């Protein structure tokens, strides 16, 4: 049986070997770390505005009309929805909704959005 020498041509330098065998995680014994220590807080940037939420989460559907989503600026589509009231519009955005024309995923897929951020995104979305 013939074998190609290229099968064994891996970099055998000390650095390459160390890189290949570097552990992917760490193991701690009980008591080695303080599990009660509060995690280091990351920089809080505060709530996102409606435009930021729209660009990050809503645009994929409401910018293209995907899944039957009414596009931003399409007053004919939004007028019928706005006629149902702001509470209904928020409920559909927050909890999700499936209707005759399509579906709205809960929170528009922004699982870490607050109620205020969703409301601001709705206000941005329905603004002419």
């Amino acid at each position: 049986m013939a074998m190609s020498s290229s099968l064994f041509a891996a970099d055998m330098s000390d650095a390459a070997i160390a890189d290949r065998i570097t552990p992917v995680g760490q193991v701690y014994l009980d008591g080695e770390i303080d599990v009660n220590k509060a995690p280091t807080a990351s920089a809080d940037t505060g709530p996102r505005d409606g435009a930021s939420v729209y660009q990050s989460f809503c645009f994929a559907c409401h910018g293209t009309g995907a899944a039957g989503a009414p596009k931003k600026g399409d007053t004919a589509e939004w007028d019928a929805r706005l006629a149902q009231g702001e509470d209904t519009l928020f409920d559909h955005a927050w909890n999700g909704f499936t209707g005759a024309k399509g579906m709205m995923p809960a929170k528009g897929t922004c699982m870490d959005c607050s109620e205020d951020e969703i409301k601001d995104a709705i206000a941005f979305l329905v603004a002419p």
Side-chain angles (χ1 to χ4, degrees), residues 7-128:
L7 290 174
F8 301 104
D11 184 354
M12 297 303 289
S13 68
D14 289 344
I17 293 170
D19 186 49
R20 286 194 298 272
I21 64 172
T22 300
V24 295
Q26 297 177 340
V27 176
Y28 295 99
L29 297 176
D30 190 25
E32 285 185 329
I33 59 172
D34 184 2
V35 294
N36 295 317
K37 181 179 176 185
T40 305
S42 61
D44 183 15
T45 59
R48 295 163 284 200
D49 65 0
S52 298
V53 173
Y54 171 79
Q55 289 297 333
S56 298
F57 300 97
C58 311
F59 179 78
C61 295
H62 290 286
T64 64
K71 292 182 182 180
K72 178 171 175 41
D74 187 344
T75 54
E77 284 288 323
W78 283 109
D79 286 346
R81 289 167 173 83
L82 289 168
Q84 298 175 27
E86 290 179 19
D87 290 340
T88 300
L89 198 58
F90 172 74
D91 180 63
H92 291 173
W94 186 257
N95 296 309
F97 178 77
T98 300
K101 291 188 176 186
M103 60 87 57
M104 168 71 189
K107 298 184 184 180
T109 71
C110 181
M111 293 300 114
D112 67 342
C113 278
S114 68
E115 288 186 10
D116 287 338
E117 288 172 325
I118 294 294
K119 288 177 182 177
D120 288 347
I122 292 168
F124 178 81
L125 188 53
V126 301

